[in-house]
Amino acid sequence: MRLFILQLFIILFFSPEKQVIAQKLAALPYTSGINYPIDLKHCGDDRLFVAERGGRIRVINADGTLRLTPFLDITSKISSLSSEEGFLGIAFSPDYKSNGKFYVDYTSRIAGQLTSVIEEYKVSAADSNIADPTSALMILTQAQPYSNHNGGNLMFDKNGYLYINVGDGGSGGDPMGNGQNKNTFLGKILRIDVSNSSASQPYVVPASNPFYNDATPGIKKEIWAYGVRNPWKSSIDRITGDLWIADVGQNAVEEIDYQPADAAGGRNYGWKITEGNSCYSPPSGCDKTGITLPIYDYPHPLGYSITGGFIYRSAQSKSLFGTYIFGDYVGKWIDGIRQSNGTLSGSVIHFITGAQSTGNPISFGEDRLGDQYVIFNGNGTIYKLEDTSSLRIPKAYFTPVNLGTGTFLLQGLQGKNLTYQWLKDGVAIPGAASPDYTTDVFGAYTLEVTNTLNFKDTADVFLLGSSADFVLFTAKKIQGNLVQLIWKTRSELNTAGYTIQRRKQNEATWSDIGFVESKAINGASNVQLDYSFNDSSANNYTRLFYRLQIQYSDGTFSYSDIRIITSDETKNGFLLFPNPARGHVQVYLNDFSSPVIMVLYDNTGKKIKEQTINQPNTSIDLPASKGIYIIQVSNTDGSNKVRKKLVVQ
């Protein structure tokens, strides 16, 4: 976060022009009377907890009223409110209901040194609206060489690990090179386990952290990601577990970094080698090898200081559902983006322009139900973000949870002022009018949700029977004549195993070449399961086709999609299937070097779309217009370009 004084100076002299695509979002006053709010979180119930920069946490009751007595007051510990110091972040333990633990991030002076402090506190045993100030447990500290870029965001993932955002140490241009230095916490996203915190051992490093087994002297094994400048308000998608990081730029670019939930840690987001997608040091010709570039960035002067938000997961609005909402402190606007397979999907949505804004968005928050809120700097009012369209449709969504022995809990997405109706095989189930429904009867289940405007939405169908839900299925030549198949399932039901089938180019029928037994206990699972199979007899071929025949316990079966391997040894060589195509085409990379850039051109040479490919097999959405197109695949630096013709029918 840039110096607040500098930001306010820029606001006085600059007002960015932005074209509004659709006004679907309004910031409506929710509660007032808060002194310089900076962060907002919930603890699992209908209350909200607001951190004030001066050092207090205030409680907002379920009805929106503000409690006069602070939940916690640590004003005596706060270093200063100048620059970017102060109380910066809070997070509640996923097990708060049972352990009463929560965590704070603030700046303090320890032996005269400005220091970022992460502490644990517990709620009072006598009053759930007051914390116990004597329960303070020091978790972690980091000396700050300058007063700015202190990060301060805290959040928990689905595994119960605590993430801590730490800025690069301040000043400008990362003069100490902290972003790329793994011997310091500065310029990093940390991940630690505080589930069994104690005075003797406040945290442990998860064994799954990327540098846990790294023997490099001085390396900080707490690091989950590095190469960030000042990650100002990050979030984890409450449904998918994906990580979104809003990183404030230096002089030219603001960026949003994205990591899917199933990706390994250890990503380098580039600072100070890169600023967004651009080179920073050196200013041109920088080596981007090993750097994960942002999913989205925007240049100055569209904005000067990004404020990260959340993926909208409220049941109140189907149109907003799945949108990442964020803002710019200086530009004062609030925008939204969506992603598909790790790349930007569709256009940026300009929700609230700088001219329409109430102030400088400095923080976002969400409540238990996924409704979102925005905080404006220096404004004592918390604002709720709402879809105010008169045609707004609710979002019907549910998650099947396998309870074992063929019984499933169907957990509906809850919301206020909504009614629910469960259906089986298209027929309403009598009395099933709650957000959750438990069943062990085979059939096709779905959920219908209705709002007060009498608009309805129906969720995707869940088939209770035999199924295997794939997350990933790839085929890759790894050495010599060896082909490796890898597949992952997010859930399985009555699944016995997988028959691997292969067909060579000159063969008319499929051949069974192996069988892999299901890892699901009793054929049922609702967690990710990983499988692999090596075909060692893939010789003398120009093209091989692979598929999985999923075998179910009742003797039935189904098929996966087809994967293709070719003998083409071209660097970034690829195959298009089918060709001609309609709607979408599969791109199969032969000699895969991750990531690569795919560009689609029309027959006049005009660029239609560009996206980064991070896996050997990828589906590409095609234009509706028929004709001849060119698909080009290259390395991220533009080298090793390979082009092929594609006919769109």
Side-chain angles (χ1 to χ4, degrees):
M1 178 66 73
R2 209 169 318 283
L3 292 176
F4 294 157
I5 295 175
L6 174 60
Q7 291 174 318
L8 295 173
F9 175 82
I10 294 173
I11 291 172
L12 295 175
F13 291 92
F14 177 76
S15 179
E17 296 181 0
K18 297 173 71 68
Q19 180 181 0
V20 178
I21 295 176
Q23 178 66 57
K24 298 180 181 178
L25 196 68
L28 305 179
Y30 183 71
T31 193
S32 300
I34 302 165
N35 189 26
Y36 283 92
I38 193 69
D39 197 17
L40 181 147
K41 298 288 173 60
H42 70 89
C43 69
D45 60 30
D46 290 331
R47 294 173 296 171
L48 292 173
F49 295 78
V50 182
E52 298 178 335
R53 283 190 66 204
R56 300 191 303 174
I57 299 176
R58 308 293 301 279
V59 179
I60 302 175
N61 297 315
D63 61 1
T65 57
L66 181 68
R67 296 187 68 87
L68 296 179
T69 303
F71 180 67
L72 178 70
D73 189 338
I74 55 171
T75 54
S76 62
K77 296 184 176 184
I78 302 301
S79 60
S80 170
L81 295 187
S82 63
S83 184
E84 297 169 18
E85 300 174 39
F87 195 161
L88 300 177
I90 55 175
F92 289 84
S93 165
D95 299 320
Y96 179 78
K97 185 176 181 180
S98 59
N99 65 25
K101 294 180 179 181
F102 65 98
Y103 300 83
V104 299
D105 189 320
Y106 62 90
T107 61
S108 186
R109 290 278 172 182
I110 299 179
Q113 171 66 54
L114 180 65
T115 304
S116 286
V117 177
I118 291 83
E119 275 185 330
E120 174 189 286
Y121 284 88
K122 293 181 179 180
V123 68
S124 167
D127 189 338
S128 63
N129 288 305
I130 298 177
D132 178 3
T134 67
S135 65
L137 173 64
M138 187 76 73
I139 298 295
L140 182 148
T141 63
Q142 171 60 55
Q144 295 289 353
Y146 301 95
S147 62
N148 58 336
H149 301 182
N150 298 312
N153 191 79
L154 300 176
M155 54 193 172
F156 281 92
D157 68 10
K158 290 190 172 184
N159 295 316
Y161 296 141
L162 177 64
Y163 289 67
I164 305 167
N165 287 11
V166 187
D168 66 4
S171 187
D174 192 10
M176 303 173 72
N178 291 320
Q180 296 298 312
N181 179 6
K182 293 194 283 291
N183 288 355
T184 177
F185 291 153
L186 296 170
K188 311 297 186 299
I189 307 291
L190 310 180
R191 186 177 81 149
I192 60 176
D193 183 354
V194 292
S195 58
N196 294 306
S197 57
S198 65
S200 60
Q201 189 175 40
Y203 70 89
V204 296
V205 177
S208 54
N209 269 21
F211 305 112
Y212 182 82
N213 295 312
D214 194 321
T216 304
I219 193 168
K220 299 294 187 182
K221 299 184 178 184
E222 293 90 341
I223 296 172
W224 178 253
Y226 64 105
V228 292
R229 181 178 178 273
N230 191 37
W232 186 248
K233 301 303 177 184
S234 302
S235 63
I236 294 175
D237 187 337
R238 63 195 295 150
I239 287 181
T240 67
D242 298 342
L243 172 61
W244 293 77
I245 306 167
D247 198 11
V248 179
Q250 180 64 45
N251 296 322
V253 181
E254 305 298 308
E255 72 180 80
I256 297 172
D257 299 311
Y258 166 81
Q259 178 181 325
D262 60 354
R267 290 191 172 191
N268 178 7
Y269 291 110
W271 177 250
K272 67 176 181 175
I273 300 170
T274 56
E275 181 186 8
N277 281 288
S278 305
C279 291
Y280 179 81
S281 180
S284 63
C286 62
D287 184 2
K288 297 181 181 178
T289 304
I291 292 175
T292 299
L293 296 174
I295 189 174
Y296 174 66
D297 67 358
Y298 60 89
H300 303 180
L302 291 181
Y304 286 91
S305 187
I306 192 168
T307 297
F310 295 79
I311 294 288
Y312 189 88
R313 293 302 187 188
S314 170
Q316 300 297 334
S317 176
K318 184 174 184 177
S319 66
L320 294 177
F321 193 82
T323 303
Y324 177 69
I325 297 175
F326 63 100
D328 189 275
Y329 181 91
V330 180
K332 299 198 295 186
W333 44 258
I334 295 176
D335 278 2
I337 58 173
R338 293 173 177 267
Q339 68 85 24
S340 177
N341 297 320
T343 60
L344 197 64
S345 175
S347 302
V348 177
I349 307 169
H350 304 313
F351 287 124
I352 298 176
T353 68
Q356 298 167 330
S357 179
T358 303
N360 309 94
I362 196 170
S363 186
F364 291 85
E366 64 176 1
D367 62 21
R368 179 181 67 86
L369 299 176
D371 288 317
Q372 291 196 23
Y373 303 79
V374 60
I375 296 171
F376 297 105
N377 187 45
N379 188 330
T381 298
I382 303 297
Y383 293 81
K384 189 173 184 178
L385 296 175
E386 292 193 12
D387 180 351
T388 54
S389 168
S390 60
L391 301 177
R392 63 183 177 276
I393 298 173
K395 175 64 179 180
Y397 182 93
F398 67 92
T399 303
V401 178
N402 189 348
L403 301 179
T405 64
T407 302
F408 278 78
L409 168 63
L410 308 182
Q411 289 187 312
L413 185 67
Q414 297 183 33
K416 295 180 180 178
N417 302 315
L418 300 174
T419 57
Y420 300 85
Q421 177 61 59
W422 289 95
L423 298 90
K424 176 180 176 293
D425 300 327
V427 179
I429 303 172
S434 299
D436 297 345
Y437 184 70
T438 302
T439 181
D440 60 359
V441 180
F442 282 14
Y445 291 87
T446 190
L447 174 64
E448 183 181 79
V449 175
T450 306
N451 64 13
T452 55
L453 298 176
N454 205 34
F455 290 119
K456 301 178 185 292
D457 185 43
T458 303
D460 293 337
V461 172
F462 170 68
L463 295 174
L464 179 52
S466 301
S467 66
D469 186 7
F470 284 85
V471 176
L472 175 75
F473 175 36
T474 64
K476 182 180 181 180
K477 182 169 54 179
I478 54 176
Q479 61 183 26
N481 295 322
L482 195 63
V483 173
Q484 184 178 59
L485 306 182
I486 295 176
W487 65 99
K488 301 179 180 182
T489 62
R490 64 165 57 91
S491 65
E492 297 182 25
L493 186 61
N494 296 326
T495 305
Y498 303 86
T499 299
I500 295 86
Q501 297 186 329
R502 183 188 67 203
R503 181 170 66 84
K504 296 182 179 179
Q505 185 173 12
N506 59 351
E507 293 178 337
T509 59
W510 293 88
S511 299
D512 296 347
I513 61 171
F515 178 79
V516 175
E517 185 177 354
S518 171
K519 295 181 180 180
I521 300 175
N522 297 323
S525 169
N526 64 343
V527 298
Q528 180 172 298
L529 298 176
D530 299 345
Y531 298 90
S532 66
F533 177 85
N534 290 340
D535 180 10
S536 58
S537 60
N539 53 7
N540 300 323
Y541 68 92
T542 57
R543 190 176 299 173
L544 295 172
F545 299 83
Y546 292 91
R547 72 181 181 186
L548 301 176
Q549 186 183 66
I550 303 102
Q551 307 288 346
Y552 300 116
S553 303
D554 60 2
T556 61
F557 58 84
S558 63
Y559 293 101
S560 70
D561 293 335
I562 297 171
R563 297 294 180 254
I564 303 175
I565 294 290
T566 77
S567 59
D568 184 0
E569 298 292 343
T570 306
K571 184 69 174 177
N572 290 340
F574 65 96
L575 175 71
L576 302 174
F577 183 82
N579 190 6
R582 178 186 298 130
H584 67 276
V585 64
Q586 293 287 331
V587 178
Y588 299 90
L589 299 174
N590 301 325
D591 189 4
F592 177 63
S593 178
S594 177
V596 297
I597 302 298
M598 187 285 303
V599 184
L600 177 66
Y601 299 94
D602 66 14
N603 59 7
T604 69
K606 179 182 177 182
K607 183 190 293 187
I608 303 300
K609 69 187 306 182
E610 176 178 329
Q611 72 182 66
T612 301
I613 298 178
N614 291 298
Q615 58 186 18
N617 305 328
T618 303
S619 178
I620 305 297
D621 293 331
L622 297 176
S625 301
K626 299 179 181 179
I628 297 175
Y629 293 81
I630 299 296
I631 286 187
Q632 172 186 292
V633 172
S634 68
N635 292 337
T636 53
D637 62 2
S639 62
N640 292 315
K641 293 180 181 177
V642 179
R643 292 188 171 192
K644 289 196 176 183
K645 184 185 297 183
L646 172 67
V647 177
V648 176
Q649 294 180 328

